[in-house]
Structure formats: structure tokens, C-alpha cells
Amino acid sequence: MAASFLSRRTLALSNATKACLASKMINPASGIGTQTASYHAKPLKLNLRLPYIPDKSSEKTPEWQKTAQYDRKLFGRYGSASGVDPASLWPSHAELDRIIAEENEWNPSLEVMLENIAAQQKAETEQRLAKEQLIAANMAKMPKMVADWRREKRESRKKLKEEKARRQKLLAEAKERYGSTVDPRSAKFQEMLAELEKEEKKKKKLLKRRQREEQAAVPVTPPVAAS
Amino acid sequence: MSFPKKPPSKALEILQGLPRISLVNLRPEPGSTKLGKRRGRGQHGGNRSGRGHKGERQRGTRPRLGFEGGNTPFYLIIPKYGYNEGHSRRPQYPPLSLRRLQYLIDLGRVDPSQPIDLTQLVNGRGVTVQPLKNDYGVQLVDEGADIFAAKINIEVQRASEKAIAAIERNGGVITTGFYDPISLDILIKPVPFFLRGQPIPKRMLPGEDLVSYYAHAENRGYLADPDQIQHARLALAQKYGYTLPDLSKDELFRMLSMRKDRRQIFFGLAPGWLVNMAEKKILKPTDEKVLQYFSS
């Protein structure tokens, strides 16, 4: 019956449970040893001659000796001499339903557990891959970002330098004009700046006029030269 | 099987004629015991009686262990970190070295001609397992792997790779199986369980965190695929450099191929059976529902 129950994965099942053996001669061909002492169990003192079986109907017997658990222990110790019905030792249908419900709640089947594990691992790997892809994409952008940043830094530094050079030049101008170092915040400096601007504007206007005249002269002369 | 007995030698005859050994006839080897120092007696044990001179030492009023005179002591100054957090919920596996296993086999405390189980190891007093201290079984450790030379069919709860290799190199078989705490308690003490009068319960499956260990062929788990286990055996043989002996040609093949079902606690006993020690009988249920539950 054991084989019919359980021959799902086992190849060979029935091995009698070992009772106490004094010593065994092992086949020397198996190469283990000539004689080994096997496990010699202590004798089980079951007291089968004078068993104590409590009287269920009497009031003097304590309550705990009338319970089902005590009956099971009685049967375990004394066997059929205890007068306990063996059929009561297995769970009744109601109890069995309760046990099955509890087991299904707390112990999922192997397939469910393996599925859960697979799902967890898949989620983990996906997360890891997504993170790695993000990192790779960002790293690919890095050279360009580095170059951009360097360029910007260079330009800002250049602008600062130019600004400084311009301020130095103005100060030198002012010094040349007024003969002594002028504070850039003073009114004199502002007037000087205004004058400089005017001169710049005039120069530009003259340049523009000359350019216009040259442009006017250039298209006129070739027809004159041609003719 | 009786062999013709030789007449015993003279020494053996004398020995057999002596009275039985008891406490009356025994005395320790001279020089093995040494009397302890008795305090408060005589020139050397008396006077201050080994307590020193005055102060807390002599007066026995020293402060508690760890006290450092008032500054915050070492055991308080070091900040806490979760090394031991949840330690009582971690499964423990007391180690069994291959050296000890070889010792037990050599002394005959464990029989290698039958499948070796945790029950056999405990019967031979080879290991002590305490299920109440979160022990979930025994783990095979590879100390003594080079001197191990026994062909066995062993089932443990965890095993290191080298230990697996050492056992398979000698032509043995190793399986790792899970026992939930109730099943473990029954496994290590079968007779007290049988005296309880309860039917043998079915073994529960491991939880999710342990299922992956027992479903892998590298660990020779009991839930793993047998074909994958064969592949793993070959791979391990290649890794450690030994030829894998062919078990099918072995004379103990039948014994070596005995393996427990995933719901079975004892060899030869199915869940649902009731063992009656008083009358040496096994009772089996006949109700369909009960049978279906115990065989699911």
C-alpha cells in the first residue's frame, strides 16, 4: 500500500523498519567490513500487565483523563487493550475539512511557489536591466555633454577676459585725458564714456557713407569703362 | 549460521573466570586524578584563601562584568547593527563532518548497508538535533572529504558541494530533503511519536525561500528533476576530477536507489498509517476522504 501511495518519484520503497539487532555479518564482497554492531534499542517498558485505563463514567477520574487526546495516548501505549476505538484516532470528516482548508491557506502547492519565485526573479532582472540600459544611454551622452560644458566654460572665461580688457582700456583712456586715475563710478568718467560713444557713432556713420558711395561708384563706373 | 568454536586460550579462560566488573573492582590510573586545592585549609590554602589583599577583590564587591569604572563601557559604546536581527527565525543546521560520519561507520554505529537517514544518525548518537532551537536538520560539511571512503545512501538537509563530491566519488548517493519542524521532531524520536497514538502526518513542503534550494539539481534536492541530477553528477565529477562510478552495475543498486517520497517521513511507512507498538501492528485508514488527504 505504501508503494501505491507514494510511487510517484521513488524507485524502490519498501524497507522494513529496523528492529533491534545484535550484530550482523556484512558480505565482505561489498568491501565494508567483516562485522558491525548495529543500533541496539533500549527495551520499551510498556507495562502491559497492569495498564491504568481510567473509568470514564466515574466522577473521581480527573477531566483530562476523559479527553480524546488522552484516549489516543492510551491506545498508543496499550494498543487494543485500552478499549479505544481505533477509528476515532483519525480525523473525522469535519475535522478533515478544517485541516484541508488550513493547509490550502498556509501551504501553497509547489507549482504556485515556483511560479512566484520565477515571477520575482523576472521582475528583479527586468529592473536591473532597465537600470543598466539607463546608465548605458546616459554614458553614451557623456562625451557630448562634457564637450559642451567645456566649450561653455571657455566662452565664459573668454568673455570675462574681454570685459576686463575693455575696462582696462577705458581706464587708460580716462587717465590719458584727465591726467590722473579716475574712479570709474564718478561723473567725469560717465561724461567721457558718453563722448567716446558719440565719436564711435560718428566714425560708423562716416564708414557707412563711404561704403555707400563706393557701392554707388562701383556700378556706375563699369558701364562708363565698358562704353 | 554456526561456526565450529575453537577452545579458548589460557588468558581468555582466566579472564572468563574472573568476577564481573563493577565499581568495587575499578580504580583510576595512578596519577590521573589530582586532588583539588581546598581553600581556607592549611598553610597554602588558608590565610587570605587565594582572594588577594583588601579591596573589592578580597571583599567580593567587584562591580558587574563589563563595567569600566564609570566611562561608557565597550559593550554600550559600540552602536547596534542588525547582525542578529531575526536570528530566532533563521533555520539552523548543525554540521556533520564527513570525518565524523566515517568514524561512526567505522565503529559500527551507523550501518552503511541501509539508507542513512537522520533517524539512523540520531540512533547511533552521531548528531544531536534540537528542533526547538530552530534546527531544521543536519548539514554535511566537507571536513574529512579526502579520507572519506564509504559507499552510502545518505539523506541530509543541506550539503556542501565538496561533501557531495566526496560521497559520489565513492559510489554513494546523497539527497537533500526538507523536514518541517513537526516532521523533524517525529523523525528524530520515532518511538515516542508512535506511543502518542497519532497517525503519521505528511511532510510539508518547504517555504518559498527554501524551495529554490531543494529544487536545484546541484544541491541534489529531493524536488529536483532526476535527469538534471544525473547531469549535475557528471559535471561535479568533471569539476573535481574523478570518474563517476556507474551505480546500475553495483550490487547494492537497489539499496542506493531507495529514496523517500516528498510526503514520506519514514522508509516503509506512508503518511496516515498508525503504528501500534504494544501489539507490533500497523493500522491503515480505509475511509476514502482520509486516504485522499494523506496521499495528496
Side-chain angles (χ1 to χ4, degrees):
Chain A
M1 204 168 182
S4 66
F5 270 169
L6 306 157
S7 56
R8 257 180 286 147
R9 299 171 86 248
T10 49
L11 300 172
L13 260 191
S14 46
N15 183 28
T17 36
K18 281 175 29 101
C20 45
L21 299 164
S23 58
K24 258 179 14 185
M25 287 293 285
I26 307 258
N27 188 357
S30 65
I32 293 164
T34 47
Q35 203 168 21
T36 58
S38 309
Y39 166 58
H40 199 132
K42 227 163 56 163
L44 202 63
K45 297 202 177 106
L46 280 174
N47 193 21
L48 292 167
R49 281 183 298 118
L50 303 163
Y52 170 69
I53 290 146
D55 188 13
K56 292 277 168 48
S57 46
S58 140
E59 291 140 358
K60 283 190 184 170
T61 53
E63 288 307 315
W64 59 274
Q65 287 183 3
K66 297 177 187 167
T67 53
Q69 202 190 16
Y70 190 79
D71 282 342
R72 279 192 219 117
K73 284 193 188 169
L74 270 181
F75 185 87
R77 282 196 72 83
Y78 304 121
S80 49
S82 61
V84 174
D85 178 27
S88 65
L89 301 167
W90 281 273
S92 66
H93 281 224
E95 281 172 16
L96 203 59
D97 288 332
R98 197 181 46 80
I99 291 169
I100 291 172
E102 203 185 325
E103 238 175 77
N104 290 341
E105 192 194 335
W106 289 107
N107 302 326
S109 75
L110 187 63
E111 292 83 20
V112 168
M113 280 199 280
L114 289 172
E115 270 176 45
N116 288 350
I117 291 168
Q120 260 175 11
Q121 279 183 344
K122 194 172 155 201
E124 261 180 83
T125 43
E126 272 181 13
Q127 223 182 21
R128 192 171 46 87
L129 275 174
K131 192 173 174 190
E132 281 177 14
Q133 277 169 2
L134 182 69
I135 291 170
N138 286 345
M139 287 305 285
K141 276 196 247 163
M142 274 310 274
K144 183 171 169 302
M145 283 164 72
V146 165
D148 283 344
W149 179 81
R150 285 196 178 143
R151 188 169 31 86
E152 276 174 27
K153 278 283 167 180
R154 246 184 291 134
E155 278 168 21
S156 62
R157 261 186 262 134
K158 210 162 68 175
K159 258 189 228 163
L160 275 173
K161 276 190 208 159
E162 280 172 17
E163 188 61 40
K164 209 172 170 184
R166 196 180 67 86
R167 261 187 259 130
Q168 289 287 346
K169 229 174 42 182
L170 285 172
L171 270 175
E173 226 3 275
K175 196 171 177 183
E176 209 190 302
R177 280 212 194 164
Y178 299 112
S180 56
T181 42
V182 193
D183 192 39
R185 292 164 282 179
S186 65
K188 272 206 269 186
F189 199 76
Q190 306 294 336
E191 289 169 15
M192 192 204 84
L193 268 176
E195 284 175 20
L196 275 174
E197 274 177 38
K198 277 187 201 165
E199 281 174 24
E200 287 272 341
K201 277 184 193 167
K202 278 185 196 166
K203 276 189 198 165
K204 275 187 192 165
K205 275 188 187 168
L206 279 172
L207 262 173
K208 275 186 193 170
R209 258 191 220 157
R210 269 186 215 153
Q211 276 181 352
R212 263 186 245 146
E213 282 170 16
E214 277 175 21
Q215 278 181 0
V218 165
V220 170
T221 46
V224 173
S227 70
Chain B
M1 186 159 72
S2 59
F3 293 94
K5 283 192 179 162
K6 279 190 306 186
S9 63
K10 286 282 184 226
L12 196 59
E13 269 183 20
I14 295 167
L15 213 75
Q16 282 171 348
L18 288 171
R20 67 175 62 187
I21 286 181
S22 70
L23 286 174
V24 186
N25 311 336
L26 291 170
R27 82 166 65 154
E29 173 81 8
S32 62
T33 48
K34 197 167 177 181
L35 289 173
K37 200 166 191 154
R38 290 173 69 219
R39 301 290 174 176
R41 302 279 185 286
Q43 183 189 0
H44 303 289
N47 197 19
R48 295 201 199 85
S49 305
R51 291 300 301 246
H53 174 71
K54 282 192 186 174
E56 284 176 342
R57 290 158 201 249
Q58 193 176 19
R59 293 168 180 145
T61 47
R62 265 203 255 217
R64 64 184 180 280
L65 185 69
F67 186 70
E68 286 178 15
N71 54 297
T72 316
F74 172 79
Y75 74 93
L76 285 179
I77 217 165
I78 302 297
K80 278 198 205 179
Y81 184 82
Y83 294 114
N84 298 331
E85 195 178 322
H87 71 281
S88 56
R89 288 167 211 259
R90 289 182 207 150
Q92 293 180 18
Y93 301 91
L96 171 68
S97 62
L98 286 169
R99 190 163 151 236
R100 176 130 177 102
L101 187 57
Q102 185 66 60
Y103 171 81
L104 295 169
I105 292 170
D106 289 340
L107 258 59
R109 280 154 68 162
V110 158
D111 188 8
S113 73
Q114 298 296 334
I116 294 179
D117 199 11
L118 192 54
T119 323
Q120 305 309 318
L121 290 167
V122 166
N123 283 348
R125 310 296 190 269
V127 265
T128 310
V129 182
Q130 300 169 297
L132 293 174
K133 302 285 182 188
N134 308 318
D135 284 352
Y136 272 59
V138 133
Q139 60 173 316
L140 212 53
V141 156
D142 43 51
E143 180 182 340
D146 31 357
I147 53 166
F148 190 76
K151 185 164 64 174
I152 49 173
N153 175 2
I154 187 164
E155 196 204 36
V156 284
Q157 281 63 56
R158 273 186 106 88
S160 71
E161 195 189 46
K162 202 165 167 192
I164 297 174
I167 289 183
E168 290 183 344
R169 181 176 60 130
N170 291 305
V173 167
I174 175 166
T175 324
T176 48
F178 174 79
Y179 290 88
D180 55 289
I182 297 174
S183 307
L184 190 72
D185 200 40
I186 294 168
L187 185 71
I188 57 176
K189 292 184 181 171
V191 175
F193 170 74
F194 295 144
L195 291 175
R196 273 182 237 168
Q198 289 172 20
I200 297 173
K202 50 182 189 178
R203 210 160 111 196
M204 289 296 132
L205 287 172
E208 269 187 31
D209 36 355
L210 287 171
V211 146
S212 47
Y213 180 85
Y214 290 107
H216 270 130
E218 290 88 40
N219 308 323
R220 308 291 186 270
Y222 73 130
L223 298 170
D225 194 14
D227 302 324
Q228 286 189 354
I229 288 181
Q230 189 54 29
H231 289 311
R233 280 166 63 95
L234 289 164
L236 201 65
Q238 279 182 353
K239 178 174 176 182
Y240 281 91
Y242 58 88
T243 45
L244 193 64
D246 190 10
L247 290 180
S248 52
K249 299 193 178 86
D250 203 319
E251 60 198 352
L252 290 171
F253 172 65
R254 202 158 172 275
M255 187 279 286
L256 290 172
S257 57
M258 283 172 71
R259 216 99 10 124
K260 283 186 200 171
D261 184 69
R262 64 167 78 162
R263 293 288 195 193
Q264 195 185 15
I265 299 180
F266 297 110
F267 277 118
L269 294 174
W273 292 1
L274 190 72
V275 173
N276 187 349
M277 296 293 286
E279 280 147 15
K280 299 210 168 83
K281 284 184 188 163
I282 294 179
L283 306 176
K284 304 178 188 178
T286 47
D287 186 35
E288 272 174 24
K289 205 166 170 191
V290 171
L291 278 173
Q292 201 203 11
Y293 165 71
F294 277 114
S295 62
S296 64

